[in-house]
């Protein structure tokens, strides 16, 4: 029933007791291994559940107990032959020994997700993928044993994965063959890409995957800047060694404490480091570790040994990983410095000085730092921690403290608040009366006031006056968006370098070049279109106003609707755009275009409109007009169209929504001047406008059901006289004569109704292809 925290505490206690470097007992090593295995099992929920229910510790899914027959002597057919000749020679086959270490260290996908990824934030992990009947896996088994012996004592996690059973994990990490080696740092896998596995190449691979400046090389020039950088809220650690390379144990301890310590390496046999060694009286015959807080001249801890072991370095740094006056810069720091203690008799207090990230506030912080290092305050360090924060960075935290207390100071800078965390997000607190003064007699008064307040809160059960609920502290060390993008790009680069071989490069480069070419081509085309638009806009005519200034006069451009411009004027219109086209021939164009131009001139600045004309003398234009008429009729029918009857027809085309509106002098809307009911449907309005004579519907579209009425009813000159003399019927409601000059007289009113949305719309399913295209 123990929780994870209890298990960790028990593990740390037993590990210190049975570690082979500290315990000289013959069974210490075996006991230490057993403790580690028990810890791994208890921290994996799936294995722990399996052990509680079955008593087995195997991690394989669908576990079935497998008997180990490796201790039994197998039948060897050559034994009798060699024994016949009196020899004692035997084939020394060792069945199963090569895979025992793989099985002991084997993990599952669940344990990888639940445990290993999280542990890799503090502990580097080396993972080997293997499978049964893998000759290469058996060959590198001695190398893997040596790696375990070298790396496990310096805090490396060693694990194996059966690639055949954990297919999902192998697929996720990109493992395609066995044996396969992966190093895991902070959840990110790094792939070993050498063709063969050896001890030297494996260690070089491990060393190369640590961050470049995890352990910095320090010389006389950069010593002061290194030790003086403690404002980042991390302690400084100096390691003195004789080797030219930085040992793996230094990199491992640097990885574990990278959030709380900055580690530097001083190579003692170099001439530019002699003054450092003399400055701190470091012997050149032994390796030395020094830990510095705010004082760059006096280390707070030191240790010198011929060969610094990892547990010793870890204990020294862990015991001094916080500055004398650390800053509350993240939630993890807050939890470590101000842990939860619910019992009033064992209060753990956190004294917080409120300042800003400004050099003017350095004296206040220095005064509290001196107070915290006083000899009479050392006994209280177990229950009292002295810290400070930047008010402008921990805004939510400060708002919670000032909002909940009616007696909170108006100005919180240079003020001290004493906290007691009763729960993770609940704390009680008290403001120090009088603030924190740093000059003369006022400073002595502030010190005595702080000492009396802390003594009262520690040795009495008096309740604290204020209580509030706080949120998570802002992480001041979190990477910004730019650095996160850079880190992601670096990770992608590492992944491509590890997983993409030469055979994959050519197709990938080909695809990339194709995509770049398409994008560049589209950009060039859009740029050329933009240049053409600018050229057209710059070609507009200008005029001189009354003040003598030259201004651009907006023009009404009328384009011809034909096969080349059909898509641009109709099919590819953007939503909300329309094209207004007038039908004419060569003879009527000179008379109709000025009328059309005049009616459309008020709308010349509307960028959603395009204007054009359709020459009905072209067979393709007349055929297209006939097709959209048929598509707009309720029922398909054969049309007998007289082109002359279509002269003066105006079509408003909505290319996106696929409908058109018609204007003609004989259209019911033009004849009666009756607006359409906006609430009625197109079908209802069509029935309302329909005349009993079938010829009416045909006339305004340019066709008639009466075969005898095939001549034009639009007459000029002698044609008008001939039609009157012959008494041929002219289909008009009010007059027998309709001149070409009168065809567009009602266009202005119709355009007003068009933009009001009250004209009749003829919907079609699609825009027909242009004839001949």
């Amino acid at each position: 029933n123990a929780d994870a925290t209890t298990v960790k505490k028990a593990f740390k206690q037993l590990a210190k007791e049975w570690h082979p470097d500290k315990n000289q007992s013959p069974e210490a090593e075996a006991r230490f291994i057993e403790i580690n295995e028990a810890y791994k099992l208890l921290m994996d929920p799936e294995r722990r559940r399996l052990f509680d229910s079955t008593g087995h510790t195997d991690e394989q899914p669908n576990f079935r107990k497998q008997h180990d027959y490796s201790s039994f002597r197998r039948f060897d057919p050559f034994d009798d032959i060699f024994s016949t000749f009196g020899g004692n020679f035997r084939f020394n086959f060792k069945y199963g020994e090569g895979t025992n270490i793989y099985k002991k260290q084997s993990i599952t996908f669940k344990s990888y997700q639940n445990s290993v990824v999280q542990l890799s934030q503090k502990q580097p992990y080396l993972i080997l993928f293997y499978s049964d009947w893998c000759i290469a896996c058996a060959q590198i088994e001695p190398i893997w044993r040596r790696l375990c012996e070298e790396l496990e004592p310096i805090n490396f996690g060693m694990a194996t994965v059966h690639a055949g059973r954990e297919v999902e994990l192998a697929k996720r990490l990109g493992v395609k063959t066995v044996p396969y080696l992966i190093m895991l740092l902070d959840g990110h896998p790094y792939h070993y890409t050498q063709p063969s596995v050896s001890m030297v190449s494996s260690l070089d691979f491990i060393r190369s995957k640590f961050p470049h400046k995890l352990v910095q090389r320090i010389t006389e020039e950069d010593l002061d800047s290194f030790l003086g950088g403690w404002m980042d809220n991390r302690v400084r650690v100096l390691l003195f060694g004789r080797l030219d390379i930085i040992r793996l144990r230094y990199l491992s301890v640097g990885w574990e404490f990278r959030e709380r310590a900055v580690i530097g390496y001083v190579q003692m046999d170099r001439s530019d480091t002699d003054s450092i060694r003399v400055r701190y009286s470091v012997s050149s015959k032994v390796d030395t570790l020094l830990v510095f807080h705010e004082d760059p001249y006096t280390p707070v801890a030191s240790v010198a040994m011929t060969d610094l072991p990892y547990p010793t370095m870890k204990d020294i740094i862990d015991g001094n990983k916080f500055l004398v006056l650390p800053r509350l810069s993240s939630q993890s720091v807050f939890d470590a410095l101000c842990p939860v203690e619910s019992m009033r008799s064992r209060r753990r207090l956190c004294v917080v000085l409120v300042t800003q990230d400004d050099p003017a506030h350095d004296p206040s912080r220095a005064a509290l730092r001196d107070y915290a290092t006083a000899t009479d305050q050392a006994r209280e360090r177990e229950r009292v921690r002295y810290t400070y924060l930047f008010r402008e960075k921990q805004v939510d935290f400060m708002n919670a403290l000032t909002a909940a207390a009616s007696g909170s100071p108006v100005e919180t800078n240079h003020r001290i608040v004493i906290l007691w965390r009763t729960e993770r997000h609940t704390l009680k607190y008290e403001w120090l009366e009088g603030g924190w003064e740093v000059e003369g007699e006022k400073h002595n008064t502030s010190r005595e006031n702080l000492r009396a307040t802390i003594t009262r809160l520690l040795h009495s059960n008096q309740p604290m006056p204020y209580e509030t609920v706080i949120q998570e502290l802002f992480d001041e060390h979190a990477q910004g968006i730019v650095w996160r993008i850079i880190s992601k790009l670096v990770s992608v680069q590492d992944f491509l370098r590890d997983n993409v071989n030469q055979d994959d490069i050519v197709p990938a480069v080909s695809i990339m070049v194709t995509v770049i070419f398409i994008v560049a081509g589209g950009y060039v085309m859009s740029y050329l279109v933009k240049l053409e638009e600018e050229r057209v806009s710059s070609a507009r005519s200008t005029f001189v106003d009354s003040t003598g200034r030259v201004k651009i006069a907006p023009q009404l451009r009328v384009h011809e609707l034909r096969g080349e411009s059909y898509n641009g004027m109709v099919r590819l219109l953007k939503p909300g755009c329309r094209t207004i086209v007038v039908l004419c021939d060569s003879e009527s164009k000179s008379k109709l275009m000025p009328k059309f131009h005049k009616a459309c001139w008020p709308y010349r600045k509307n960028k959603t409109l395009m204007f054009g004309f359709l020459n009905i003398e072209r067979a393709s234009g007349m055929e297209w007009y006939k097709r959209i008429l048929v598509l707009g009729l309720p029922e398909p029918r054969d049309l007998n169209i007289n082109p002359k009857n279509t002269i003066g027809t105006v079509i408003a085309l909505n290319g996106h929504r696929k409908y058109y509106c018609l204007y003609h002098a004989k259209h019911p809307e033009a004849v009666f001047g009756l607006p359409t009911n906006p609430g009625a449907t197109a079908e209802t309005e069509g029935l309302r406008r329909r005349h009993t004579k079938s010829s009416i519907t045909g006339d305004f579209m340019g066709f008639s059901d009466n075969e005898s009425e095939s001549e034009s009813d639009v007459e000029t000159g002698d044609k008008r006289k001939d039609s009157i003399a012959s008494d041929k019927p002219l289909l008009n409601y009010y007059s027998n004569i309709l001149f070409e000059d009168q065809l567009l007289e009602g266009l202005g009113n119709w355009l007003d109704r068009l933009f009001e949305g009250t004209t009749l719309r003829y919907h079609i399913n699609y825009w027909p292809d242009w004839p001949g295209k």
Side-chain angles (χ1 to χ4, degrees):
N1 298 324
D3 57 7
T5 304
T6 306
V7 173
K8 287 182 180 179
K9 289 182 179 179
F11 169 71
K12 289 182 179 179
Q13 181 179 356
L14 290 173
K16 290 180 181 179
E17 179 182 355
W18 290 97
H19 197 282
D21 292 339
K22 296 184 178 181
N23 194 322
Q24 304 300 325
S25 174
E27 59 179 357
E29 183 175 359
R31 184 67 171 167
F32 184 74
I33 294 174
E34 184 180 1
I35 292 170
N36 275 278
E37 293 297 326
Y39 175 72
K40 292 179 182 178
L41 185 146
L42 293 174
M43 295 302 291
D44 187 346
E46 185 65 21
R47 292 185 63 197
R48 185 171 179 173
R49 182 194 60 78
L50 181 66
F51 179 78
D52 291 339
S53 58
T54 65
H56 300 304
T57 61
D58 198 295
E59 294 182 322
Q60 300 173 3
N62 301 324
F63 174 78
R64 290 184 302 173
K65 187 174 181 180
Q66 299 177 354
H67 297 281
D68 185 9
Y69 299 102
S70 58
S71 59
F72 292 90
R73 179 178 179 271
R74 285 175 169 77
F75 171 73
D76 192 341
F78 295 98
D79 285 352
D80 294 337
I81 297 177
F82 286 101
S83 61
T84 304
F85 291 97
N88 294 324
F89 177 80
R90 290 182 181 277
F91 289 104
N92 189 21
F93 294 115
K94 297 182 179 180
Y95 297 96
E97 289 189 7
T99 59
N100 284 339
I101 188 172
Y102 294 156
K103 291 182 178 179
K104 289 180 180 180
Q105 298 176 343
S106 181
I107 61 174
T108 62
F109 186 27
K110 289 185 178 180
S111 60
Y112 172 84
Q113 285 184 314
N114 299 334
S115 179
V116 174
V117 172
Q118 183 178 2
L119 291 174
S120 66
Q121 297 177 0
K122 301 287 186 182
Q123 181 182 23
Y125 254 85
L126 206 62
I127 304 176
L128 177 66
F129 284 79
Y130 73 98
S131 66
D132 297 330
W133 308 107
C134 172
I135 298 177
C137 299
Q139 291 175 344
I140 69 168
E141 182 266 337
I143 300 175
W144 181 253
R145 287 182 180 273
R146 289 183 57 194
L147 285 174
C148 293
E149 295 172 358
E150 291 286 338
L151 299 179
E152 282 184 338
I154 60 173
N155 198 40
F156 268 76
M158 309 296 289
T160 58
V161 177
H162 194 293
R165 298 191 182 101
E166 301 298 332
V167 179
E168 186 176 358
L169 178 56
K171 184 178 180 180
R172 175 174 177 176
L173 297 181
V175 177
K176 300 178 181 179
T177 183
V178 290
Y180 201 91
L181 194 62
I182 286 179
M183 183 178 178
L184 196 67
L185 287 176
D186 200 10
H188 180 75
Y190 296 92
H191 298 253
Y192 179 86
T193 57
Q194 297 296 326
S196 60
V197 179
S198 65
M199 192 70 180
V200 176
S201 61
S202 300
L203 294 178
D204 291 341
F205 159 72
I206 295 171
R207 186 185 303 276
S208 65
K209 297 309 176 185
F210 281 103
H212 177 61
K213 291 187 177 181
L214 183 63
V215 178
Q216 309 174 24
R217 290 185 177 272
I218 304 299
T219 60
E220 298 172 355
E221 296 180 356
D222 47 16
L223 176 65
D224 292 335
S225 60
F226 173 78
L227 296 178
W230 51 267
M231 280 301 293
D232 62 1
N233 209 30
R234 293 185 291 177
V235 302
R236 263 49 186 173
V237 179
L238 278 181
L239 290 167
F240 293 81
R242 297 179 297 275
L243 299 179
D244 182 44
I245 63 172
I246 299 176
R247 306 181 69 172
L248 273 178
R249 64 185 60 189
Y250 299 160
L251 296 174
S252 179
V253 76
W255 178 259
E256 181 175 359
F257 292 99
R258 68 188 185 280
E259 295 180 356
R260 300 267 41 90
V262 180
I263 299 179
Y265 179 72
V266 180
Q267 187 179 344
M268 291 188 292
D269 58 355
R270 293 180 51 169
S271 59
D272 56 357
T273 60
D274 290 338
S275 61
I276 304 176
R277 185 171 54 82
V278 174
R279 177 176 176 177
Y280 299 109
S281 302
V282 175
S283 173
S284 61
K285 298 181 180 180
V286 293
D287 294 344
T288 304
L289 180 146
L290 303 178
V291 181
F292 295 85
H293 284 173
E294 291 91 336
D295 187 0
Y297 300 99
T298 305
V300 296
S302 63
V303 61
M305 301 178 66
T306 305
D307 190 9
L308 284 172
Y310 179 86
T312 301
M313 293 188 294
K314 178 181 178 180
D315 292 342
I316 295 294
I317 298 175
D318 189 57
N320 301 275
K321 62 183 178 181
F322 290 108
L323 299 171
V324 175
L325 187 68
R327 184 171 76 253
L328 298 181
S329 56
S330 66
Q331 184 65 31
S332 60
V333 176
F334 186 50
D335 292 338
L337 294 175
C338 308
V340 176
E341 179 56 69
S342 58
M343 295 184 62
R344 184 178 298 182
S345 60
R346 298 175 54 188
R347 287 174 179 167
R348 298 174 69 98
L349 303 180
C350 195
V351 180
V352 183
L353 174 64
V354 181
T355 63
Q356 291 183 353
D357 189 6
D358 188 346
H361 292 238
D362 288 343
S364 296
R365 293 188 284 264
L368 186 59
R369 188 178 298 111
D370 293 339
Y371 178 86
T373 54
T375 55
D376 57 340
Q377 305 302 324
R379 295 188 300 271
E380 298 179 354
R381 252 174 221 178
E382 291 297 326
R383 297 179 60 187
V384 182
R385 293 305 298 259
Y386 297 88
T387 66
Y388 72 98
L389 58 78
F390 289 150
R391 192 191 194 291
E392 69 274 17
K393 295 185 177 180
Q394 303 298 340
V395 177
D396 294 337
F397 183 79
M398 287 302 303
N399 289 340
L401 294 179
T402 55
S406 58
S408 298
V410 177
E411 178 58 45
T412 56
N413 286 331
H414 308 287
R415 301 299 296 261
I416 287 180
V417 58
I418 304 174
L419 311 178
W420 171 35
R421 295 182 68 187
T422 56
E423 296 178 8
R424 176 171 174 80
H425 295 291
T426 303
L427 56 83
K428 297 182 179 181
Y429 63 99
E430 177 179 338
W431 290 95
L432 181 66
E433 185 178 355
W436 182 249
E437 302 291 342
V438 296
E439 295 181 358
E441 190 63 29
K442 293 183 178 180
H443 178 56
N444 294 333
T445 303
S446 297
R447 290 170 63 96
E448 292 298 329
N449 191 12
L450 178 59
R451 181 180 293 107
T453 303
I454 293 176
T455 302
R456 172 173 55 83
L457 294 177
L458 286 178
H459 300 92
S460 69
N461 292 331
Q462 180 182 353
M464 302 184 78
Y466 306 117
E467 183 175 0
T468 186
V469 177
I470 59 173
Q471 303 296 327
E472 297 284 333
L473 265 68
F474 172 72
D475 190 357
E476 300 176 15
H477 310 289
Q479 291 182 340
I481 183 64
V482 176
W483 283 109
R484 288 201 297 268
I485 293 175
I486 294 175
S487 301
K488 192 65 176 178
L489 292 177
V490 172
S491 300
V492 171
Q493 179 185 358
D494 294 337
F495 177 80
L496 294 177
R497 182 181 59 189
D498 295 337
N499 293 276
V500 178
N501 53 35
Q502 189 172 3
D503 296 336
D504 300 330
I505 292 178
V506 176
V509 171
S510 176
I511 295 175
M512 188 178 300
V513 170
T514 303
V515 172
I516 293 175
F517 178 77
I518 293 174
V519 173
Y523 177 78
V524 171
M525 292 298 294
S526 63
Y527 180 72
L528 293 177
V529 170
K530 183 178 179 181
L531 290 180
E532 180 65 17
E533 291 177 352
E534 293 177 354
R535 185 190 66 79
V536 171
S537 62
S538 63
R540 293 176 177 175
S541 60
T542 59
F543 69 96
V544 180
D545 60 4
S546 59
T547 61
R549 295 180 181 178
V550 178
K551 295 185 178 180
I552 297 176
Q555 292 183 340
L556 181 67
R557 292 187 172 273
V558 182
H559 309 275
E560 182 179 0
L561 181 61
R562 53 185 178 181
E564 293 79 359
S565 60
Y566 176 55
N567 287 336
M569 295 179 67
V570 181
R571 280 183 164 177
L572 301 181
L573 284 180
K574 296 180 180 179
C577 297
R578 281 179 283 194
T579 300
I580 300 176
V581 180
V582 61
L583 276 62
C584 61
D585 56 10
S586 300
E587 296 180 3
S588 60
K589 181 179 179 182
S590 59
K591 294 184 179 181
L592 294 180
M593 290 307 296
K595 299 279 188 179
F596 180 75
H597 193 277
K598 181 179 180 181
C600 297
W601 179 257
Y603 309 100
R604 64 191 182 280
K605 295 183 179 180
N606 193 326
K607 296 182 179 180
T608 63
L609 297 179
M610 188 179 297
F611 304 95
F613 69 93
L614 177 64
N615 193 342
I616 61 174
E617 292 179 345
R618 296 177 181 269
S620 57
M622 201 62 214
E623 178 63 24
W624 173 82
Y625 178 63
K626 179 180 178 180
R627 290 182 183 179
I628 67 168
L629 290 181
V630 173
L631 292 175
L633 293 176
E635 297 179 358
R637 47 191 297 201
D638 294 333
L639 303 182
N640 181 22
I641 296 180
N642 185 347
K644 289 295 182 178
N645 287 343
T646 64
I647 295 175
T649 302
V650 178
I651 318 173
L653 305 165
N654 191 318
H656 179 71
R657 299 185 63 182
K658 296 183 179 61
Y659 70 81
Y660 61 87
C661 300
L662 280 174
Y663 165 81
H664 192 274
K666 293 186 177 183
H667 194 291
E669 289 179 289
V671 174
F672 295 109
L674 299 175
T676 317
N677 183 7
T681 61
E683 292 77 8
T684 305
E685 291 300 317
L687 291 173
R688 185 177 69 84
R689 299 177 186 279
R690 188 170 299 157
H691 197 269
T692 55
K693 295 183 179 180
S694 61
S695 61
I696 294 177
T697 306
D699 288 333
F700 75 84
M701 289 185 176
F703 64 90
S704 175
D705 291 338
N706 192 342
E707 296 294 339
S708 64
E709 298 170 357
S710 60
E711 296 184 5
S712 174
D713 60 343
V714 181
E715 304 285 348
T716 60
D718 296 336
K719 292 183 179 181
R720 172 176 170 268
K721 298 177 181 178
D722 295 340
S723 62
I724 295 175
S726 60
D727 293 331
K728 289 187 177 181
L730 298 177
L731 301 176
N732 194 319
Y733 292 104
Y734 298 115
S735 65
N736 295 329
I737 305 296
L738 188 63
F739 294 98
E740 288 180 350
D741 294 342
Q742 301 172 339
L743 289 175
L744 298 180
E745 287 183 352
L747 179 59
N749 294 332
W750 181 83
L751 288 175
D752 291 339
R753 295 197 302 273
L754 173 68
F755 299 133
E756 291 173 358
T758 58
T759 56
L760 183 61
R761 298 177 180 180
Y762 298 89
H763 291 271
I764 62 176
N765 294 329
Y766 63 93
W767 291 111
D769 293 334
W770 191 265
K773 294 289 285 185

